[in-house]
Amino acid sequence: VRVGEYLFRRLQEEGVTHTFGIPGDYALSLYAAQEACGMPTLVMTHEPSVGYAADVYARLKGLGVALVTYGVGALNMVNATAMAYAEQSPLLVITGAPEVQWQDQNILFYHRVKSAETQLRVYQEVTAAQASIRAPAEAAAEIDRVIGTVKKLSRPGFIEIARDIVDHAIEPPPQRPSVVPAIVNAEEAAGMEEAMREIVGRLQASKRPVLYAGVEIERFGLMREFQELVDKTRLPVATSLLGKAVLPEHHPSFIGTYFGRIGLESVRQYLEGSDCVLALGMLMTLMDTGIHTGVIDRSRLIQVTTQGTSISHHQYPQVTLPAVLRALLRLPRLKKSKPPSRPAPQPVPKVTEKTLTMNGIIAELNGFLTPQHLVLADTGDCLFASVELRADYFIGPGYYASMGLAVPGAIGAQIARPDLRPLVLVGDGAFKMDGIEVATARDYGLTPIIVLINNRTYATLKVSLGDRPYFRLRPWDYVGLAQALGGQGVQVRTREEFHRALRLAEASTDFWIIDAVIDEKDTSLTLQKLGEELQAKTGRKEKGKREGKRSDR
Amino acid sequence: VRVGEYLFRRLQEEGVTHTFGIPGDYALSLYAAQEACGMPTLVMTHEPSVGYAADVYARLKGLGVALVTYGVGALNMVNATAMAYAEQSPLLVITGAPEVQWQDQNILFYHRVKSAETQLRVYQEVTAAQASIRAPAEAAAEIDRVIGTVKKLSRPGFIEIARDIVDHAIEPPPQRPSVVPAIVNAEEAAGMEEAMREIVGRLQASKRPVLYAGVEIERFGLMREFQELVDKTRLPVATSLLGKAVLPEHHPSFIGTYFGRIGLESVRQYLEGSDCVLALGMLMTLMDTGIHTGVIDRSRLIQVTTQGTSISHHQYPQVTLPAVLRALLRLPRLKKSKPPSRPAPQPVPKVTEKTLTMNGIIAELNGFLTPQHLVLADTGDCLFASVELRADYFIGPGYYASMGLAVPGAIGAQIARPDLRPLVLVGDGAFKMDGIEVATARDYGLTPIIVLINNRTYATLKVSLGDRPYFRLRPWDYVGLAQALGGQGVQVRTREEFHRALRLAEASTDFWIIDAVIDEKDTSLTLQKLGEELQAKTGRKEKGKREGKRSDR
């Protein structure tokens, strides 16, 4: 077996069916090796999009691969990889590299920055495991090590292979180091027992327990177990924004996405008022607390992650999410809670209103989405508005919050899950970044429906600084653009037109851009509340400043 | 004076008139400070483009600024900054950062990767100077230090400022450390004298001396001195691809762009046959030797750069380009060489041919370009073909060779030099990456003419690996695209149509996309010769391999 073949066979064993990439000189031997293994690459237009598509594929399949060239390719998707790191996505970045001799002789080859190691050093900052493979003998072990870490931590990894060793024959390792179940020593078992006693004790003593579910449930393949737990206990479930739809949102136990004071008020009251919040699989980021507007009292909080468990203010570092989930499932006598009634739907403008609004768009989507849709929301008000959306499949950058994930991500999503139709919610600012990638959907017969929120502005930024010339976005002819790229488009300005456009797109086998024109000042309820929170905070701060100044005199 | 104000006033002192950027949350206090200083930002669509536009502005003005947000912004332009590093462009990347408290308390704020320092650590790999400013007291000195290094080395720098200190009042430094002329000690003066004796001696003894001019002449503001030297000595001048047009190419002493065996044969013969090559301001990269196809005999080579001088095999580390250039200008008795006759123009297809070809496009452009055009060539055959182009202003990624510079770069170019009309030469592969940025030209009334080489393939990659499905590019409706973005477009398929399209665009005040359709197999002469070189090399290698195998038996 040759180095390249070993790599792609390993990926196939891990269930990888496609890679995402852009070919380039140093990566050509890898592309040829991949071709020989019968693995296709979806050729995207630009490396940031490669990263986003592979990231979304990774989120849905447990491993996603970007195959790009050295330097100019890899360094062009650092942000995409950083997002995958922050949001715990098992993205593997594979690149070629100059031949060993060029690296060693310090030749000023093209795509070189400071030294041959520049891209490796950059990737050390945004991945959990890295390998620079320059000798055939080490290749198999290094490939296994990086893939192993990516799978284990659900964080990105990085492999670069000198292009002249890709075709070298190697001895495959006689047997792959199989995943040996960790031997639990007596100390650890006792710790686990103690933690479970406490968790179960708190749940049973609680009058109104609630599950607060995070993204690790999905990333570590625990969605089935989690749903089993929910069905068994009938505990109500809220999710974080990043963890949105780890329980399909039409499930009767789902009460909503928690987002502090700027999210749904009914969810906030239930979660913050609970005497026992069992948070499963979430890192409690700034976003998980509704940008610091929410307060989950730590004395009532049990937080279980893949990195350990904390209960109130004490910690069990060895007690991790998969073990706790399984232990909870084994317990026979878990208290059954009656799920609360579903929160009342948000008030939305009446259909009789001629104009289209963000709230109207969300209301329409809630009436349109089926379990056959996968929603991808981009950063900005689309992400904020998604708090109010009910989706069974949802992907959004709910922590790292980079713009640009949704349109390229739809390519990765439909390749990973051809049974689902991607529906993208993207603002004009994010669409301008890389929305052109929708052209690639046409190349491969994919059919995303893009709902482009055309408000001619970076709406989220206006919340902080008011209207500024550098927040304004000139509208493009998005319908003409869709047609120029080989798809279809329609502009809508009323709720009724939007309603019809969704159905038109749904019935079509093309990709669609629905250019949804709303007022420049219109925002979702969430963003509106965020604005109010910021103003109140700034007002308080300003007040404090003035007082401070006065006392200075 | 406040921190932000100090920063933008300093930039204005350095001649910066505009920044390029995309606003974002952590950068808003910087944007507000900039606005207060009356400095406008050109808002681009995507951060890679921000980097390319600011890079080109930097190449033309001596300092260019990208103003982007923390994490998601800065990490999205690592490749652009890496290119600026490799190609010695004085690009300054400025970003906001989370408030000091968030950084210190290790809060999981949005846009965070591994730690608050991630982006700083990444930028250490691709810039020459970095500052993370967290205390007002250090701000002025740190800003001065980074700007100073960027100017001195003509390499990128990086400044991040915690958003909550941007409005803090500071004492401006009482007087800026002025650039003190380096005190030349006796040892150094003696070294300089020795080197100059040797250089002049070689030039005078030479039968056919030639200047080989590189990009440092432009980057270090030495173009006037260099041209004076050329006029004074009448020495013939070849340039490298990266240094192309450091002497306006209609100058009578210019003999062509050297690119080894794959470039112009007349230039190769002159340069490689010379008994004294004086290379000024070039690093001798792989590209500067025509991808290792050229051989400039070191025993006949004098190489002077900003990092030192080497003559044959010995070095004068203290003897640098500006000093040598000035010393040469002071010498009265430099041998006058009669400039050789200009190399015969490349054979080009007759106009009677109906079809459009790469060679025909270059021939047409050579008949079209005036000293009022600035050519930007993107990576791929456009860059290779530029070897045969005569331009007075030229920018191309002639070393790092990343795709994507040219279209966004045209924005930076026309802002820096409103007196020049940008003409972009870009392949469909590179155009698909970020050609959409041409929309920004419309936003600001800029008028680039984009010549889009539509060959439906990554032509350069085919040279190595033949035709492969992942090299094919589906043609978009580029004319429709141009119109959707607010500009004009025309598709041309014959040389006559191309001829007319250039004049149509030239007369217009819109941006134009000329969709120049050529055959999939058509390439420039340079790329054709590169293919032949590679085949010959591979053939030799294959032959070597077979022989190796035989002897193994």
Side-chain angles (χ1 to χ4, degrees):
Chain A
V1 61
R2 291 164 197 277
V3 171
E5 188 187 349
Y6 181 79
L7 171 65
F8 292 105
R9 293 288 175 224
R10 280 290 285 115
L11 294 175
Q12 286 171 330
E13 283 173 30
E14 297 289 346
V16 174
T17 58
H18 299 71
T19 65
F20 301 84
I22 299 177
D25 193 43
Y26 294 116
L28 291 182
S29 52
L30 284 169
Y31 269 84
Q34 181 189 228
E35 191 182 2
C37 290
M39 176 109 81
T41 284
L42 269 84
V43 180
M44 315 285 287
T45 68
H46 202 196
E47 283 88 0
S49 297
V50 170
Y52 300 138
D55 174 351
V56 167
Y57 182 97
R59 293 177 194 216
L60 292 166
K61 295 267 288 185
L63 187 63
V65 177
L67 182 62
V68 294
T69 197
Y70 175 85
V72 299
L75 293 180
N76 209 6
M77 44 175 287
V78 174
N79 183 55
T81 310
M83 174 144 64
Y85 187 92
E87 303 198 343
Q88 294 178 277
S89 172
L91 165 68
L92 178 62
V93 178
I94 301 174
T95 87
E99 41 270 54
V100 174
Q101 194 191 349
W102 283 13
Q103 293 187 38
D104 286 347
Q105 291 183 352
N106 220 8
I107 284 173
L108 299 184
F109 47 78
Y110 42 90
H111 308 350
R112 181 187 147 119
V113 193
K114 287 192 178 180
S115 77
E117 287 79 37
T118 297
Q119 76 164 16
L120 176 66
R121 293 167 64 101
V122 166
Y123 269 85
Q124 283 167 348
E125 303 302 326
V126 294
T127 59
Q130 312 83 31
S132 174
I133 300 176
R134 297 158 40 99
E138 70 188 11
E142 285 290 273
I143 288 166
D144 287 348
R145 176 178 64 79
V146 174
I147 293 178
T149 305
V150 169
K151 298 282 296 181
K152 187 178 160 208
L153 300 183
S154 192
R155 300 269 197 193
F158 173 79
I159 296 175
E160 64 175 24
I161 307 185
R163 62 174 165 181
D164 56 337
I165 72 154
V166 170
D167 290 329
H168 270 260
I170 53 170
E171 285 293 314
Q175 53 177 31
R176 182 140 328 112
S178 62
V179 182
V180 186
I183 296 159
V184 181
N185 65 30
E187 287 296 327
E188 281 172 7
M192 181 72 192
E193 208 186 305
E194 186 180 315
M196 286 309 297
R197 249 198 326 270
E198 223 188 322
I199 293 171
V200 174
R202 288 199 177 210
L203 282 174
Q204 283 178 331
S206 162
K207 292 210 177 75
R208 211 169 75 171
V210 61
L211 295 173
Y212 183 25
V215 77
E216 288 192 333
I217 291 169
E218 183 209 73
R219 299 291 197 271
F220 290 86
L222 300 168
M223 282 176 74
R224 213 173 39 211
E225 281 95 335
F226 177 67
Q227 193 158 337
E228 210 179 308
L229 178 73
V230 173
D231 291 338
K232 184 177 166 183
T233 61
R234 301 184 66 210
L235 285 169
V237 177
T239 63
S240 68
L241 193 52
L242 186 61
K244 191 173 167 66
V246 297
L247 184 73
E249 299 192 338
H250 294 103
H251 192 286
S253 291
F254 177 65
I255 63 167
T257 303
Y258 172 73
F259 207 46
R261 267 199 305 277
I262 58 180
L264 302 168
E265 183 57 18
S266 56
V267 180
R268 185 185 78 79
Q269 283 180 6
Y270 200 92
L271 203 67
E272 298 186 6
S274 164
D275 54 354
C276 181
V277 176
L278 178 54
L280 296 175
M282 99 172 51
L283 299 179
M284 231 41 110
T285 72
L286 193 65
M287 297 288 269
D288 295 332
T289 60
I291 311 186
H292 279 179
T293 64
V295 180
I296 300 172
D297 185 345
R298 269 189 74 176
S299 68
R300 301 173 194 165
L301 176 66
I302 302 167
Q303 195 182 350
V304 187
T305 75
T306 57
Q307 302 306 303
T309 291
S310 67
I311 301 179
S312 295
H313 293 84
H314 57 279
Q315 295 177 5
Y316 296 89
Q318 308 295 335
V319 175
T320 59
L321 181 62
V324 170
L325 205 48
R326 277 156 209 156
L328 285 170
L329 281 174
R330 277 195 304 270
L331 287 175
R333 293 169 302 141
L334 254 184
K335 172 174 182 149
K336 308 226 171 192
S337 154
K338 196 162 166 258
S341 58
R342 242 167 106 149
Q346 288 295 315
V348 289
K350 293 274 173 263
V351 191
T352 52
E353 288 194 3
K354 280 235 161 193
T355 55
L356 192 63
T357 64
M358 214 45 200
N359 292 325
I361 286 168
I362 296 298
E364 277 301 329
L365 288 173
N366 279 334
F368 171 75
L369 291 174
T370 70
Q372 278 73 51
H373 289 112
L374 184 151
V375 176
L376 299 109
D378 217 292
T379 298
D381 201 15
C382 290
L383 189 61
F384 289 130
S386 296
V387 169
E388 296 156 38
L389 202 68
R390 293 265 168 163
D392 280 358
Y393 297 93
F394 180 86
I395 290 175
Y399 166 34
Y400 187 68
S402 177
M403 287 165 86
L405 176 73
V407 174
I411 312 277
Q414 206 170 5
I415 292 293
R417 290 294 304 264
D419 55 320
L420 302 177
R421 185 94 186 251
L423 187 138
V424 170
L425 209 50
V426 59
D428 41 6
F431 183 88
K432 284 185 169 195
M433 286 195 168
D434 59 13
I436 193 108
E437 198 61 57
V438 72
T440 304
R442 168 63 189 267
D443 295 351
Y444 296 98
L446 307 177
T447 57
I449 302 170
I450 318 280
V451 178
L452 194 164
I453 308 297
N454 179 345
N455 61 2
R456 281 95 56 219
T457 185
Y458 291 117
T460 310
L461 301 182
K462 269 163 59 172
V463 168
S464 301
L465 214 57
D467 192 19
R468 284 291 182 280
Y470 38 90
F471 293 164
R472 284 174 211 148
L473 297 165
R474 179 172 65 88
W476 296 346
D477 172 5
Y478 300 109
V479 173
L481 189 75
Q483 288 159 353
L485 302 177
Q488 303 216 44
V490 59
Q491 188 179 71
V492 298
R493 292 175 172 272
T494 67
R495 186 153 163 190
E496 176 57 28
E497 286 171 1
F498 181 58
H499 182 96
R500 273 184 283 133
L502 283 173
R503 272 102 197 141
L504 196 63
E506 178 77 358
S508 158
T509 55
D510 287 319
F511 79 74
W512 274 77
I513 294 177
I514 301 175
D515 175 10
V517 181
I518 62 171
D519 188 84
E520 279 173 38
K521 297 205 177 85
D522 182 66
T523 67
S524 71
L525 280 178
T526 314
L527 187 53
Q528 189 187 319
K529 283 190 279 180
L530 177 62
E532 289 161 10
E533 286 288 329
L534 282 179
Q535 269 184 333
K537 211 169 147 190
T538 316
R540 277 200 299 276
K541 211 191 263 174
E542 288 300 320
K543 201 164 158 262
K545 261 191 196 166
R546 277 198 304 274
E547 277 161 7
K549 270 182 193 157
R550 217 172 294 144
S551 68
D552 281 352
R553 282 178 195 166
Chain B
V1 61
R2 291 164 195 277
V3 171
E5 188 187 347
Y6 182 80
L7 171 65
F8 292 105
R9 292 289 175 223
R10 280 290 286 117
L11 296 175
Q12 284 171 332
E13 283 172 31
E14 297 290 345
V16 174
T17 58
H18 299 72
T19 65
F20 300 84
I22 298 177
D25 193 42
Y26 293 116
L28 290 184
S29 51
L30 284 169
Y31 269 84
Q34 181 189 227
E35 192 183 359
C37 291
M39 176 108 84
T41 284
L42 268 85
V43 179
M44 314 284 288
T45 68
H46 202 195
E47 283 88 1
S49 297
V50 170
Y52 300 139
D55 175 351
V56 167
Y57 182 97
R59 292 178 193 214
L60 292 166
K61 295 267 286 185
L63 186 62
V65 177
L67 182 61
V68 294
T69 197
Y70 175 86
V72 298
L75 293 179
N76 209 7
M77 44 177 286
V78 174
N79 183 55
T81 310
M83 175 146 63
Y85 187 92
E87 303 196 344
Q88 294 178 273
S89 172
L91 165 67
L92 177 62
V93 179
I94 301 174
T95 86
E99 41 269 55
V100 175
Q101 192 191 352
W102 282 15
Q103 293 188 37
D104 286 346
Q105 292 183 351
N106 220 9
I107 284 173
L108 299 183
F109 48 78
Y110 42 90
H111 309 349
R112 182 187 145 119
V113 193
K114 286 191 176 179
S115 75
E117 287 78 38
T118 297
Q119 76 164 15
L120 175 66
R121 294 167 64 101
V122 166
Y123 269 85
Q124 284 167 348
E125 303 302 327
V126 294
T127 59
Q130 312 83 31
S132 174
I133 299 177
R134 296 157 40 97
E138 71 189 10
E142 285 291 272
I143 288 166
D144 286 347
R145 177 178 62 81
V146 173
I147 292 177
T149 305
V150 169
K151 298 282 296 180
K152 185 178 161 207
L153 300 183
S154 193
R155 300 268 196 193
F158 173 80
I159 297 175
E160 64 175 24
I161 307 185
R163 62 173 163 180
D164 55 338
I165 72 155
V166 170
D167 290 329
H168 270 259
I170 54 171
E171 284 293 315
Q175 52 177 34
R176 183 141 324 112
S178 62
V179 182
V180 186
I183 296 158
V184 182
N185 64 32
E187 287 293 327
E188 281 171 7
M192 182 72 194
E193 205 186 307
E194 184 181 318
M196 285 309 298
R197 251 199 323 272
E198 224 188 322
I199 293 171
V200 174
R202 287 198 178 209
L203 282 174
Q204 283 178 332
S206 164
K207 292 213 177 73
R208 210 169 73 171
V210 61
L211 295 174
Y212 183 24
V215 77
E216 287 191 334
I217 290 170
E218 184 209 72
R219 298 292 198 270
F220 290 87
L222 301 168
M223 282 175 74
R224 212 172 41 209
E225 281 95 336
F226 177 68
Q227 194 159 333
E228 209 179 311
L229 179 73
V230 173
D231 291 337
K232 181 177 168 184
T233 61
R234 299 184 66 209
L235 286 169
V237 177
T239 62
S240 68
L241 192 51
L242 186 60
K244 191 173 168 66
V246 298
L247 185 72
E249 298 191 341
H250 294 103
H251 192 285
S253 291
F254 178 65
I255 63 167
T257 303
Y258 172 72
F259 206 47
R261 267 200 305 279
I262 58 181
L264 301 168
E265 183 57 19
S266 55
V267 180
R268 185 185 77 80
Q269 284 180 6
Y270 200 93
L271 203 67
E272 297 185 7
S274 164
D275 54 354
C276 180
V277 176
L278 177 55
L280 296 176
M282 95 173 54
L283 299 178
M284 231 41 114
T285 72
L286 193 64
M287 296 289 270
D288 296 331
T289 60
I291 311 184
H292 279 180
T293 64
V295 181
I296 300 172
D297 187 344
R298 268 189 74 176
S299 69
R300 303 174 194 162
L301 177 66
I302 302 167
Q303 196 182 350
V304 186
T305 74
T306 56
Q307 301 306 304
T309 291
S310 67
I311 301 178
S312 294
H313 293 83
H314 57 280
Q315 296 176 6
Y316 297 88
Q318 308 296 335
V319 175
T320 60
L321 181 61
V324 171
L325 206 46
R326 277 155 209 160
L328 285 170
L329 281 175
R330 279 196 301 269
L331 286 175
R333 293 166 304 139
L334 254 185
K335 173 171 181 151
K336 307 227 172 193
S337 157
K338 194 161 166 258
S341 57
R342 243 165 104 149
Q346 287 296 311
V348 290
K350 292 273 174 263
V351 191
T352 51
E353 286 195 4
K354 280 237 161 193
T355 54
L356 192 63
T357 64
M358 215 41 199
N359 292 324
I361 286 169
I362 296 298
E364 278 300 331
L365 288 174
N366 279 334
F368 171 74
L369 291 175
T370 70
Q372 279 72 51
H373 288 113
L374 185 151
V375 176
L376 299 109
D378 217 292
T379 298
D381 201 14
C382 290
L383 189 61
F384 290 131
S386 295
V387 169
E388 296 156 38
L389 202 68
R390 293 265 168 162
D392 280 358
Y393 297 94
F394 180 86
I395 289 175
Y399 166 33
Y400 187 68
S402 176
M403 288 164 85
L405 177 73
V407 175
I411 312 278
Q414 208 171 3
I415 291 293
R417 291 293 304 263
D419 54 321
L420 302 177
R421 184 94 186 251
L423 187 139
V424 170
L425 209 49
V426 60
D428 42 6
F431 183 87
K432 284 184 169 196
M433 287 194 167
D434 58 14
I436 192 109
E437 198 63 56
V438 73
T440 303
R442 169 63 191 267
D443 296 350
Y444 296 97
L446 307 176
T447 57
I449 301 170
I450 318 280
V451 178
L452 194 164
I453 309 296
N454 179 347
N455 62 2
R456 282 94 55 218
T457 186
Y458 291 115
T460 310
L461 301 182
K462 270 163 60 173
V463 168
S464 301
L465 213 59
D467 192 19
R468 284 290 181 281
Y470 38 90
F471 294 163
R472 285 174 211 148
L473 296 166
R474 178 172 66 86
W476 297 346
D477 173 4
Y478 300 109
V479 174
L481 190 75
Q483 289 159 353
L485 301 177
Q488 302 217 45
V490 59
Q491 188 178 72
V492 297
R493 292 175 171 273
T494 69
R495 186 154 163 188
E496 177 57 28
E497 286 172 0
F498 181 60
H499 182 96
R500 273 185 283 133
L502 283 173
R503 272 100 197 142
L504 197 62
E506 179 77 357
S508 158
T509 54
D510 286 319
F511 79 74
W512 273 77
I513 295 178
I514 300 175
D515 175 11
V517 181
I518 63 171
D519 189 83
E520 280 173 36
K521 296 204 178 84
D522 181 66
T523 67
S524 70
L525 280 178
T526 315
L527 188 53
Q528 188 187 319
K529 285 189 277 180
L530 177 63
E532 287 161 10
E533 286 289 328
L534 282 179
Q535 269 185 335
K537 207 170 149 191
T538 318
R540 279 200 298 277
K541 211 192 263 173
E542 288 300 319
K543 199 164 161 265
K545 261 191 195 165
R546 277 198 304 274
E547 278 161 6
K549 270 180 191 157
R550 218 173 293 143
S551 67
D552 281 351
R553 280 176 198 168

